[in-house]
Coordinates of all heavy atoms in Angstrom, one line a residue:
M39 N -8.6 6.5 -2.4 CA -7.5 5.6 -2.6 C -7.8 4.2 -2.1 O -7.5 3.3 -2.7 CB -6.3 6.2 -2.0 CG -5.0 5.4 -2.2 SD -4.6 5.0 -3.9 CE -3.8 6.5 -4.5
K40 N -8.5 4.2 -1.0 CA -8.8 2.9 -0.4 C -9.7 2.1 -1.4 O -9.4 0.9 -1.6 CB -9.6 3.1 0.9 CG -10.0 1.8 1.6 CD -10.6 2.1 3.0 CE -11.2 0.9 3.7 NZ -11.8 1.2 4.9
A41 N -10.7 2.7 -2.0 CA -11.6 2.0 -2.9 C -10.8 1.5 -4.2 O -11.0 0.4 -4.7 CB -12.7 2.9 -3.4
F42 N -9.8 2.4 -4.6 CA -9.0 2.0 -5.7 C -8.1 0.8 -5.4 O -8.1 -0.1 -6.2 CB -8.1 3.2 -6.1 CG -7.3 3.1 -7.3 CD1 -7.9 3.3 -8.6 CD2 -6.0 2.8 -7.3 CE1 -7.2 3.1 -9.7 CE2 -5.2 2.6 -8.4 CZ -5.8 2.8 -9.7
L43 N -7.5 0.8 -4.3 CA -6.7 -0.4 -3.9 C -7.5 -1.6 -3.7 O -7.1 -2.7 -4.1 CB -5.9 0.0 -2.6 CG -4.9 1.1 -2.7 CD1 -4.3 1.5 -1.3 CD2 -3.7 0.7 -3.7
K44 N -8.7 -1.5 -3.2 CA -9.6 -2.6 -3.1 C -10.0 -3.2 -4.4 O -10.0 -4.4 -4.7 CB -10.9 -2.2 -2.3 CG -10.7 -2.2 -0.8 CD -12.1 -2.0 -0.1 CE -12.0 -2.1 1.3 NZ -13.3 -2.0 2.0
K45 N -10.3 -2.3 -5.4 CA -10.7 -2.7 -6.7 C -9.6 -3.5 -7.4 O -9.9 -4.5 -8.1 CB -10.9 -1.4 -7.6 CG -11.3 -1.7 -9.0 CD -11.5 -0.5 -9.8 CE -11.7 -0.9 -11.3 NZ -11.8 0.3 -12.1
Y46 N -8.4 -3.2 -7.1 CA -7.3 -4.0 -7.7 C -6.7 -5.1 -6.8 O -5.7 -5.7 -7.1 CB -6.1 -3.0 -8.1 CG -6.5 -2.3 -9.3 CD1 -7.1 -1.0 -9.3 CD2 -6.3 -2.8 -10.6 CE1 -7.4 -0.3 -10.4 CE2 -6.7 -2.1 -11.7 CZ -7.3 -0.9 -11.6 OH -7.6 -0.2 -12.8
G47 N -7.4 -5.3 -5.7 CA -7.1 -6.5 -4.9 C -5.9 -6.4 -4.0 O -5.3 -7.4 -3.7
V48 N -5.4 -5.2 -3.8 CA -4.2 -5.0 -3.0 C -4.4 -4.3 -1.7 O -3.5 -4.0 -1.0 CB -3.1 -4.3 -3.8 CG1 -2.7 -5.2 -5.0 CG2 -3.5 -2.9 -4.3
W49 N -5.7 -4.0 -1.3 CA -6.0 -3.3 0.0 C -5.5 -4.2 1.2 O -5.0 -3.6 2.1 CB -7.4 -3.0 0.1 CG -7.8 -2.5 1.4 CD1 -8.5 -3.0 2.4 CD2 -7.4 -1.2 2.0 NE1 -8.6 -2.2 3.5 CE2 -7.9 -1.1 3.3 CE3 -6.6 -0.2 1.5 CZ2 -7.7 0.0 4.1 CZ3 -6.3 0.9 2.3 CH2 -6.9 1.0 3.6
E50 N -5.5 -5.5 1.1 CA -5.1 -6.3 2.2 C -3.6 -6.1 2.5 O -3.2 -6.2 3.7 CB -5.3 -7.8 1.8 CG -6.7 -8.3 1.8 CD -7.4 -8.2 3.2 OE1 -6.7 -8.5 4.2 OE2 -8.5 -7.7 3.2
T51 N -2.9 -5.6 1.5 CA -1.5 -5.3 1.8 C -1.4 -4.1 2.8 O -0.4 -4.1 3.6 CB -0.8 -4.8 0.5 OG1 -0.9 -5.9 -0.5 CG2 0.7 -4.5 0.7
M52 N -2.3 -3.2 2.8 CA -2.3 -2.1 3.7 C -2.7 -2.5 5.1 O -2.2 -1.9 6.1 CB -3.3 -1.0 3.3 CG -3.1 -0.4 1.9 SD -1.5 0.3 1.8 CE -0.9 -0.5 0.4
I53 N -3.7 -3.4 5.3 CA -4.2 -3.7 6.6 C -3.6 -4.9 7.2 O -3.6 -5.0 8.4 CB -5.7 -3.8 6.6 CG1 -6.2 -4.9 5.6 CG2 -6.4 -2.5 6.2 CD1 -7.7 -5.2 5.7
N54 N -3.0 -5.8 6.4 CA -2.5 -7.0 7.0 C -1.3 -7.4 6.1 O -1.4 -8.0 5.1 CB -3.5 -8.1 7.0 CG -3.1 -9.3 7.7 OD1 -2.0 -9.3 8.3 ND2 -3.9 -10.3 7.7
A55 N -0.1 -6.9 6.6 CA 1.1 -7.1 5.8 C 1.4 -8.6 5.5 O 1.9 -8.9 4.4 CB 2.3 -6.5 6.5
A56 N 1.1 -9.5 6.4 CA 1.4 -10.9 6.2 C 0.1 -11.7 6.4 O -0.3 -12.0 7.5 CB 2.4 -11.4 7.1
N57 N -0.6 -12.0 5.3 CA -1.8 -12.7 5.3 C -1.7 -13.9 4.4 O -2.3 -13.9 3.3 CB -3.0 -11.8 4.9 CG -4.3 -12.5 5.1 OD1 -4.4 -13.5 5.8 ND2 -5.4 -11.9 4.6
P58 N -1.0 -14.9 4.8 CA -0.7 -16.1 3.9 C -2.0 -16.9 3.6 O -2.8 -17.1 4.5 CB 0.3 -16.9 4.6 CG 0.2 -16.5 6.1 CD -0.4 -15.1 6.1
S59 N -2.1 -17.4 2.4 CA -3.2 -18.3 2.0 C -2.7 -19.7 2.4 O -1.6 -20.1 2.1 CB -3.4 -18.2 0.5 OG -4.3 -19.2 0.1
K60 N -3.6 -20.5 3.0 CA -3.3 -21.8 3.4 C -3.3 -22.7 2.1 O -2.8 -23.8 2.2 CB -4.2 -22.3 4.4 CG -4.1 -21.6 5.7 CD -5.0 -22.1 6.8 CE -4.8 -21.2 8.1 NZ -5.6 -21.7 9.1
K61 N -3.9 -22.3 1.0 CA -4.0 -23.1 -0.2 C -2.7 -23.0 -1.0 O -2.5 -23.8 -1.9 CB -5.1 -22.7 -1.0 CG -6.5 -22.9 -0.4 CD -7.6 -22.4 -1.2 CE -8.9 -22.6 -0.5 NZ -10.0 -22.2 -1.4
K62 N -1.8 -22.0 -0.7 CA -0.6 -21.8 -1.5 C 0.6 -22.2 -0.6 O 0.6 -22.1 0.6 CB -0.5 -20.4 -1.9 CG -1.7 -20.0 -2.9 CD -1.5 -18.5 -3.2 CE -2.7 -18.1 -4.1 NZ -2.6 -16.7 -4.5
S63 N 1.7 -22.5 -1.3 CA 3.0 -22.7 -0.6 C 3.5 -21.4 -0.1 O 3.1 -20.3 -0.5 CB 4.0 -23.4 -1.6 OG 4.4 -22.4 -2.5
K64 N 4.5 -21.6 0.8 CA 5.2 -20.4 1.4 C 5.8 -19.5 0.3 O 5.7 -18.3 0.3 CB 6.2 -20.8 2.4 CG 6.9 -19.7 3.1 CD 7.8 -20.2 4.2 CE 8.5 -19.1 4.9 NZ 9.5 -19.5 5.8
D65 N 6.4 -20.1 -0.7 CA 7.1 -19.4 -1.8 C 6.0 -18.6 -2.6 O 6.3 -17.5 -3.0 CB 7.9 -20.3 -2.7 CG 9.2 -20.8 -2.0 OD1 9.6 -20.2 -1.0 OD2 9.7 -21.8 -2.5
E66 N 4.9 -19.3 -2.9 CA 3.9 -18.6 -3.7 C 3.3 -17.4 -2.9 O 3.0 -16.4 -3.5 CB 2.7 -19.6 -4.0 CG 3.1 -20.6 -5.0 CD 2.1 -21.7 -5.3 OE1 1.4 -22.1 -4.3 OE2 1.9 -22.1 -6.4
N67 N 3.1 -17.6 -1.6 CA 2.6 -16.5 -0.8 C 3.5 -15.4 -0.7 O 3.1 -14.2 -0.8 CB 2.3 -17.0 0.7 CG 1.0 -17.8 0.8 OD1 0.0 -17.5 0.1 ND2 1.0 -18.8 1.7
Q68 N 4.8 -15.6 -0.6 CA 5.8 -14.6 -0.6 C 5.9 -13.8 -1.9 O 6.0 -12.6 -2.0 CB 7.2 -15.1 -0.3 CG 7.3 -15.5 1.2 CD 8.7 -16.2 1.5 OE1 9.4 -16.7 0.6 NE2 9.0 -16.1 2.8
K69 N 5.8 -14.6 -3.0 CA 5.8 -14.0 -4.4 C 4.5 -13.1 -4.5 O 4.6 -11.9 -5.0 CB 5.8 -15.0 -5.5 CG 7.1 -15.5 -5.8 CD 7.0 -16.6 -6.9 CE 7.4 -16.1 -8.2 NZ 7.5 -17.2 -9.2
E70 N 3.4 -13.6 -4.1 CA 2.2 -12.8 -4.2 C 2.2 -11.5 -3.3 O 1.8 -10.4 -3.8 CB 1.0 -13.6 -3.9 CG -0.3 -12.9 -4.1 CD -1.6 -13.8 -3.8 OE1 -1.4 -15.0 -3.6 OE2 -2.7 -13.2 -3.9
A71 N 2.7 -11.7 -2.1 CA 2.8 -10.5 -1.2 C 3.8 -9.5 -1.8 O 3.5 -8.3 -1.7 CB 3.3 -11.0 0.2
K72 N 4.9 -9.9 -2.4 CA 5.8 -9.0 -3.0 C 5.2 -8.2 -4.2 O 5.4 -7.0 -4.3 CB 7.1 -9.8 -3.4 CG 8.2 -8.9 -3.8 CD 9.5 -9.7 -4.1 CE 10.6 -8.8 -4.4 NZ 11.9 -9.6 -4.7
K73 N 4.5 -9.0 -5.0 CA 3.8 -8.4 -6.1 C 2.8 -7.4 -5.7 O 2.7 -6.3 -6.2 CB 3.2 -9.5 -7.0 CG 2.5 -9.0 -8.3 CD 1.8 -10.1 -9.0 CE 0.4 -10.0 -8.7 NZ -0.5 -10.9 -9.3
N74 N 1.9 -7.8 -4.7 CA 0.9 -6.9 -4.3 C 1.5 -5.6 -3.6 O 0.9 -4.5 -3.8 CB 0.0 -7.6 -3.3 CG -0.9 -8.6 -4.0 OD1 -1.1 -8.5 -5.2 ND2 -1.5 -9.5 -3.2
N75 N 2.6 -5.8 -2.9 CA 3.2 -4.6 -2.3 C 3.7 -3.7 -3.4 O 3.5 -2.4 -3.3 CB 4.4 -5.1 -1.4 CG 5.1 -3.9 -0.8 OD1 4.5 -3.2 0.1 ND2 6.3 -3.6 -1.2
A76 N 4.3 -4.2 -4.4 CA 4.9 -3.4 -5.5 C 3.7 -2.6 -6.2 O 3.8 -1.4 -6.5 CB 5.6 -4.2 -6.5
I77 N 2.6 -3.3 -6.4 CA 1.5 -2.7 -7.1 C 0.9 -1.6 -6.2 O 0.7 -0.4 -6.7 CB 0.4 -3.7 -7.4 CG1 0.9 -4.7 -8.5 CG2 -0.9 -3.1 -7.9 CD1 0.0 -5.9 -8.7
A78 N 0.7 -1.9 -5.0 CA 0.1 -0.9 -4.0 C 1.0 0.3 -3.9 O 0.6 1.5 -3.9 CB -0.2 -1.5 -2.7
L79 N 2.3 0.1 -3.8 CA 3.3 1.1 -3.6 C 3.3 2.0 -4.8 O 3.3 3.3 -4.7 CB 4.7 0.6 -3.4 CG 5.8 1.5 -3.0 CD1 5.5 2.2 -1.7 CD2 7.1 0.8 -2.8
K80 N 3.2 1.4 -6.0 CA 3.2 2.2 -7.2 C 1.9 3.1 -7.3 O 1.9 4.3 -7.6 CB 3.2 1.3 -8.5 CG 3.1 2.1 -9.8 CD 3.3 1.2 -11.0 CE 3.2 1.9 -12.3 NZ 3.1 3.3 -12.4
F81 N 0.7 2.5 -7.0 CA -0.5 3.3 -6.9 C -0.4 4.4 -6.0 O -0.9 5.5 -6.3 CB -1.7 2.4 -6.6 CG -2.1 1.4 -7.7 CD1 -2.8 0.3 -7.3 CD2 -1.8 1.6 -9.0 CE1 -3.2 -0.6 -8.3 CE2 -2.2 0.8 -10.0 CZ -2.9 -0.4 -9.7
L82 N 0.1 4.2 -4.8 CA 0.2 5.2 -3.8 C 1.1 6.4 -4.2 O 0.7 7.5 -4.1 CB 0.7 4.7 -2.4 CG -0.3 3.7 -1.7 CD1 0.5 3.1 -0.5 CD2 -1.5 4.5 -1.2
L83 N 2.2 6.0 -4.7 CA 3.2 7.1 -5.1 C 2.7 7.8 -6.4 O 2.8 9.0 -6.5 CB 4.6 6.5 -5.4 CG 5.3 6.0 -4.1 CD1 6.6 5.2 -4.5 CD2 5.6 7.2 -3.2
D84 N 2.0 7.1 -7.3 CA 1.5 7.7 -8.5 C 0.4 8.7 -8.2 O 0.1 9.6 -9.0 CB 1.0 6.7 -9.5 CG 2.2 6.0 -10.2 OD1 3.4 6.4 -10.1 OD2 1.9 5.0 -10.9
G85 N -0.3 8.5 -7.1 CA -1.4 9.4 -6.7 C -1.0 10.6 -6.0 O -1.8 11.4 -5.6
L86 N 0.3 10.8 -5.8 CA 0.8 12.0 -5.1 C 1.4 13.0 -6.0 O 2.0 12.7 -7.0 CB 1.9 11.5 -4.0 CG 1.4 10.6 -2.9 CD1 2.6 10.1 -2.2 CD2 0.4 11.3 -2.0
P87 N 1.3 14.3 -5.6 CA 2.1 15.3 -6.4 C 3.6 15.0 -6.3 O 4.1 14.5 -5.3 CB 1.7 16.6 -5.7 CG 0.6 16.3 -4.7 CD 0.6 14.8 -4.5
S88 N 4.3 15.4 -7.3 CA 5.8 15.1 -7.3 C 6.5 15.7 -6.2 O 7.5 15.1 -5.7 CB 6.4 15.5 -8.7 OG 6.2 16.9 -8.8
S89 N 6.1 16.8 -5.7 CA 6.8 17.4 -4.5 C 6.7 16.6 -3.3 O 7.6 16.5 -2.5 CB 6.2 18.8 -4.2 OG 4.8 18.7 -3.9
I90 N 5.6 15.9 -3.1 CA 5.4 15.0 -1.9 C 6.1 13.7 -2.2 O 6.7 13.1 -1.4 CB 3.9 14.8 -1.6 CG1 3.4 16.2 -1.1 CG2 3.7 13.8 -0.5 CD1 1.9 16.2 -0.9
R91 N 5.9 13.2 -3.4 CA 6.4 11.9 -3.9 C 7.9 11.8 -3.7 O 8.4 10.8 -3.2 CB 6.0 11.6 -5.3 CG 6.4 10.2 -5.8 CD 6.0 10.0 -7.2 NE 5.6 11.3 -7.7 CZ 5.0 11.5 -8.9 NH1 4.7 10.6 -9.6 NH2 4.6 12.7 -9.3
D92 N 8.6 12.9 -4.0 CA 10.0 12.9 -3.9 C 10.5 12.7 -2.5 O 11.5 12.1 -2.2 CB 10.6 14.2 -4.5 CG 10.4 14.3 -6.0 OD1 10.2 13.3 -6.6 OD2 10.5 15.4 -6.5
S93 N 9.7 13.2 -1.5 CA 10.1 13.1 -0.1 C 9.8 11.8 0.5 O 10.2 11.4 1.5 CB 9.5 14.2 0.7 OG 8.1 14.0 0.8
L94 N 9.0 11.0 -0.2 CA 8.6 9.7 0.3 C 9.2 8.5 -0.5 O 8.8 7.4 -0.3 CB 7.0 9.6 0.2 CG 6.3 10.6 1.1 CD1 4.8 10.4 0.8 CD2 6.6 10.3 2.6
G95 N 10.1 8.8 -1.4 CA 10.6 7.8 -2.3 C 11.4 6.7 -1.6 O 11.7 5.7 -2.2
E96 N 11.8 6.9 -0.4 CA 12.6 5.9 0.3 C 11.8 4.7 0.8 O 12.4 3.7 1.2 CB 13.4 6.5 1.5 CG 12.5 6.8 2.7 CD 11.8 8.1 2.7 OE1 11.9 8.9 1.7 OE2 11.1 8.4 3.7
F97 N 10.5 4.7 0.8 CA 9.7 3.6 1.3 C 9.7 2.5 0.3 O 9.6 2.6 -0.9 CB 8.2 4.1 1.5 CG 8.0 4.9 2.7 CD1 8.2 6.3 2.7 CD2 7.8 4.3 3.9 CE1 8.0 7.0 3.9 CE2 7.6 5.0 5.1 CZ 7.7 6.4 5.1
T98 N 9.8 1.3 0.8 CA 9.7 0.0 0.0 C 8.5 -0.8 0.4 O 8.3 -1.8 -0.2 CB 11.0 -0.8 0.2 OG1 11.2 -1.1 1.5 CG2 12.2 0.0 -0.4
S99 N 7.8 -0.4 1.5 CA 6.7 -1.1 1.9 C 5.4 -0.2 1.8 O 5.4 0.9 2.3 CB 6.8 -1.5 3.4 OG 5.6 -1.8 4.0
A100 N 4.5 -0.7 1.0 CA 3.2 0.1 0.8 C 2.5 0.3 2.1 O 2.0 1.4 2.4 CB 2.3 -0.7 -0.2
R101 N 2.5 -0.6 3.0 CA 1.9 -0.5 4.3 C 2.5 0.6 5.1 O 1.8 1.5 5.7 CB 1.9 -1.8 5.1 CG 1.3 -1.7 6.5 CD 1.3 -3.1 7.2 NE 1.0 -3.0 8.6 CZ -0.2 -2.8 9.1 NH1 -1.2 -2.6 8.3 NH2 -0.3 -2.7 10.4
E102 N 3.9 0.6 5.2 CA 4.6 1.7 5.9 C 4.3 3.1 5.3 O 4.1 4.0 6.0 CB 6.1 1.4 5.9 CG 6.4 0.2 6.8 CD 7.9 -0.1 6.7 OE1 8.7 0.7 6.2 OE2 8.3 -1.2 7.2
L103 N 4.3 3.2 4.0 CA 4.0 4.4 3.3 C 2.5 4.9 3.7 O 2.3 6.0 4.0 CB 4.1 4.3 1.8 CG 3.7 5.5 1.0 CD1 4.5 6.8 1.4 CD2 3.9 5.3 -0.5
W104 N 1.6 3.9 3.6 CA 0.2 4.2 3.9 C 0.1 4.8 5.3 O -0.6 5.8 5.6 CB -0.7 3.0 3.8 CG -2.1 3.2 4.1 CD1 -2.7 2.9 5.3 CD2 -3.1 3.7 3.2 NE1 -4.0 3.3 5.2 CE2 -4.3 3.8 3.9 CE3 -3.1 4.2 1.9 CZ2 -5.5 4.3 3.4 CZ3 -4.3 4.7 1.4 CH2 -5.4 4.7 2.1
L105 N 0.7 4.1 6.3 CA 0.6 4.5 7.7 C 1.3 5.9 7.9 O 0.8 6.7 8.6 CB 1.3 3.5 8.6 CG 0.6 2.2 8.7 CD1 1.4 1.2 9.5 CD2 -0.8 2.3 9.3
K106 N 2.4 6.2 7.2 CA 3.1 7.5 7.2 C 2.1 8.6 6.7 O 1.9 9.6 7.3 CB 4.3 7.4 6.4 CG 5.0 8.8 6.1 CD 5.7 9.3 7.3 CE 6.5 10.5 6.9 NZ 6.5 11.6 7.8
M107 N 1.5 8.3 5.5 CA 0.7 9.3 5.0 C -0.6 9.5 5.8 O -1.1 10.6 6.0 CB 0.3 8.9 3.5 CG 1.4 9.0 2.6 SD 1.0 8.8 0.8 CE -0.3 7.6 0.8
E108 N -1.1 8.4 6.3 CA -2.3 8.5 7.2 C -2.0 9.4 8.4 O -2.8 10.2 8.8 CB -2.7 7.1 7.6 CG -4.0 7.0 8.3 CD -4.4 5.6 8.6 OE1 -3.6 4.9 9.2 OE2 -5.5 5.2 8.2
G109 N -0.8 9.2 9.0 CA -0.5 10.0 10.2 C -0.2 11.4 9.9 O -0.6 12.3 10.6
D110 N 0.4 11.7 8.7 CA 0.7 13.0 8.3 C -0.5 13.8 7.8 O -0.6 15.0 8.1 CB 1.8 13.0 7.2 CG 3.2 12.7 7.7 OD1 3.4 12.5 8.9 OD2 4.1 12.5 6.9
Y111 N -1.4 13.2 7.1 CA -2.4 13.9 6.4 C -3.8 13.7 6.9 O -4.7 14.4 6.5 CB -2.4 13.6 4.9 CG -1.1 14.0 4.3 CD1 -0.2 13.0 3.9 CD2 -0.7 15.3 4.1 CE1 1.1 13.3 3.4 CE2 0.5 15.7 3.6 CZ 1.4 14.7 3.2 OH 2.6 15.0 2.7
Q112 N -4.0 12.8 7.8 CA -5.4 12.5 8.3 C -6.1 13.7 8.9 O -7.2 14.0 8.5 CB -5.4 11.3 9.3 CG -6.7 10.8 9.7 CD -7.4 10.0 8.6 OE1 -6.8 9.4 7.8 NE2 -8.7 10.0 8.6
G113 N -5.4 14.3 9.8 CA -6.0 15.5 10.4 C -6.1 16.7 9.5 O -7.1 17.5 9.6
K114 N -5.2 16.8 8.6 CA -5.2 18.0 7.6 C -6.4 17.8 6.7 O -7.0 18.8 6.3 CB -3.9 18.0 6.8 CG -2.8 18.4 7.7 CD -1.5 18.4 6.9 CE -0.3 18.7 7.8 NZ 1.0 18.6 7.1
V115 N -6.7 16.6 6.2 CA -7.8 16.4 5.3 C -9.1 16.7 6.0 O -10.0 17.3 5.4 CB -7.7 15.0 4.7 CG1 -9.0 14.7 3.8 CG2 -6.5 14.9 3.8
Q116 N -9.3 16.1 7.2 CA -10.5 16.3 7.9 C -10.7 17.7 8.3 O -11.9 18.2 8.5 CB -10.5 15.4 9.1 CG -10.6 13.9 8.8 CD -10.6 13.0 10.0 OE1 -10.4 13.5 11.1 NE2 -10.8 11.7 9.7
G117 N -9.7 18.5 8.5 CA -9.8 19.9 9.0 C -10.3 20.8 7.9 O -10.7 21.9 8.2
K118 N -10.2 20.4 6.7 CA -10.7 21.3 5.6 C -12.2 21.4 5.5 O -12.9 20.6 5.8 CB -10.1 20.8 4.2 CG -8.6 21.1 4.2 CD -8.1 20.8 2.8 CE -6.7 21.2 2.7 NZ -6.1 20.9 1.4

């Protein structure tokens, strides 16, 4: 999933929620951050089975969802 998010240029949303560009205005940075969050959140949710997705639907921040899933599933995936 990390590679997929990097490919589409939204991985920064996961590791640095607020990374403003100095070349853009504050409004442009906010618009871009909101767009990237929406894209990343959609990718994350679309990659989950519906049984898990339904329990995580309350998240509006891709970063928060990523951290939640990382905490819940990191040990389970490595344990297999």
Side-chain angles (χ1 to χ4, degrees):
M39 181 55 78
K40 181 178 175 179
F42 186 80
L43 294 171
K44 279 184 172 185
K45 177 182 177 184
Y46 285 94
V48 295
W49 174 247
E50 288 297 318
T51 303
M52 299 302 125
I53 58 172
N54 191 3
N57 188 13
S59 170
K60 293 180 182 181
K61 295 180 182 179
K62 296 179 182 178
S63 72
K64 184 177 178 181
D65 287 342
E66 289 175 322
N67 281 326
Q68 287 176 339
K69 276 178 105 172
E70 184 176 355
K72 189 174 181 179
K73 182 184 101 177
N74 287 344
N75 180 66
I77 292 168
L79 190 60
K80 179 177 178 6
F81 287 158
L82 289 173
L83 290 171
D84 285 351
L86 296 171
S88 61
S89 59
I90 295 172
R91 186 180 11 191
D92 292 343
S93 68
L94 298 173
E96 75 274 2
F97 283 90
T98 57
S99 165
R101 178 176 167 74
E102 290 176 12
L103 176 58
W104 180 264
L105 294 173
K106 166 77 170 140
M107 290 187 326
E108 189 176 53
D110 287 354
Y111 300 107
Q112 187 72 28
K114 292 178 184 176
V115 172
Q116 289 179 355
K118 287 186 175 181

